[in-house]
Amino acid sequence: MSPDVSDSATGPAARPARTAAVIPAAGRGLRLGPGAPKALRALNGTPMLVHAVRAMARARAVSLVVVVAPPDGAAEVRTLLDDYPLPMAEAADVLVVPGGETRQESVRLGLAALPADVTTVLVHDAARPLVPVDTVDSVIAAVRGGAPAVVPALPLADTVKQVEPRTDGEPEPVVGTPERAVLRAVQTPQGFDRATLDRAHHAVALEGQGATDDAGMVERLGVQVVVVPGHEEAFKVTRPLDMVLAEAVLARRRANDGF
Ligand code: CTP
Ligand code: MG
């Protein structure tokens, strides 16, 4: 059989949709306080980034993980990840690329490294190392089911006030109280039809208008974004207390695994 014939037999139409995860990990973690870049800090002895890569690779559909490293730290991150190989059952290719000055720029650089055959993309913060695989799977399933953009989210525990921000230390006036029942706190991985997310990044690059999450950029295109249930263990490690919580979650998992 000529290579052409075998190629067409297994060509793009016959191949299952390929899913990749982009992990922005280029931030410094200023709110966590002085120390190594946040993604490289250890949780129960294992770097946060390694937990995050495993959380993506654990999803059966994910065959490629692109890690976006600090701009000057790609070689260090590559070495670190090589020191923590994925278990056989969670095999996935892992690419490392240097990131940018903003999260959005880092995601754009990660997307640029994706091979052409990737049709579904997850974007997942390295700072959410403990997201359960069921949450990842449900995001992927919703995208594969036809939704162009999917975000995991939870109802809010706190009531939220809109204020007129002040920087002079005076009390901030409240201007409104959005109805809590219609609000959701969004997490990652956010899942996308690859072409839609590429288009959103191109549009934002042209307009120069940022968004605080990837789905927000897709919303600007006028494309419908949908929400699936998030998970409390998908919280973002932002401040020192979050490190304590993350280690407690890992300890609880380890204890439960003992049974
Ligand atoms: N991120 C990135 N590139 C940047 C900034 C952020 O890849 N230039 C990544 C972070 O590494 C993190 C995710 O985006 O995984 C979410 O950002 P955040 O929690 O704000 O992390 P940091 O920016 O590192 O933290 P801080 O804002 O406290 O400095
Ligand atoms: Mg940040």
Side-chain angles (χ1 to χ4, degrees):
M1 210 191 272
S2 80
D4 276 342
V5 172
S6 69
D7 216 47
S8 65
T10 57
R15 216 177 275 153
R18 191 170 177 215
T19 299
V22 172
I23 301 186
R28 279 177 293 180
L30 294 177
R31 286 170 289 180
L32 208 48
K38 180 158 73 177
L40 305 186
R41 298 205 206 184
L43 287 177
N44 278 11
T46 303
M48 200 179 306
L49 176 61
V50 171
H51 290 284
V53 170
R54 285 186 183 162
M56 295 299 104
R58 211 168 277 141
R60 288 189 53 143
V62 172
S63 57
L64 170 67
V65 179
V66 176
V67 172
V68 188
D72 56 356
E76 187 193 343
V77 165
R78 177 78 263 174
T79 307
L80 178 87
L81 291 172
D82 289 343
D83 286 344
Y84 292 89
L86 291 168
M88 282 276 258
E90 298 165 15
D93 295 328
V94 180
L95 277 177
V96 179
V97 300
E101 279 306 306
T102 63
R103 182 183 181 282
Q104 190 174 303
E105 175 73 356
S106 294
V107 172
R108 193 182 64 73
L109 291 165
L111 290 176
L114 293 177
D117 65 345
V118 170
T119 52
T120 298
V121 187
L122 302 178
V123 180
H124 180 62
D125 291 329
R128 298 182 190 272
L130 304 183
V131 60
V133 68
D134 288 353
T135 306
V136 183
D137 284 343
S138 68
V139 170
I140 295 170
V143 177
R144 288 187 167 185
V150 179
V151 299
L154 290 176
L156 301 189
D158 295 326
T159 292
V160 172
K161 298 286 183 199
Q162 187 178 350
V163 300
E164 239 161 58
R166 293 183 69 146
T167 51
D168 58 5
E170 289 298 308
E172 297 177 322
V174 170
V175 296
T177 306
E179 189 195 342
R180 192 174 66 190
V182 299
L183 298 176
R184 299 289 180 269
V186 307
Q187 305 177 324
T188 72
Q190 300 190 349
F192 304 91
D193 160 58
R194 193 254 180 103
T196 303
L197 186 57
D198 279 347
R199 198 152 63 84
H201 271 267
H202 282 298
V204 163
L206 290 177
E207 288 171 13
Q209 284 261 47
T212 57
D213 72 337
D214 301 282
M217 296 172 38
V218 170
E219 286 164 52
R220 281 165 194 260
L221 292 179
V223 172
Q224 181 69 62
V225 176
V226 296
V227 161
V228 296
H231 196 286
E232 60 178 355
E233 292 183 0
F235 68 94
K236 187 153 71 83
V237 175
T238 305
R239 295 178 191 84
L241 190 60
D242 300 322
M243 293 287 283
V244 177
L245 180 58
E247 295 202 319
V249 169
L250 285 169
R252 184 175 69 179
R253 284 184 188 175
R254 195 167 294 180
N256 288 346
D257 284 350
F259 290 104

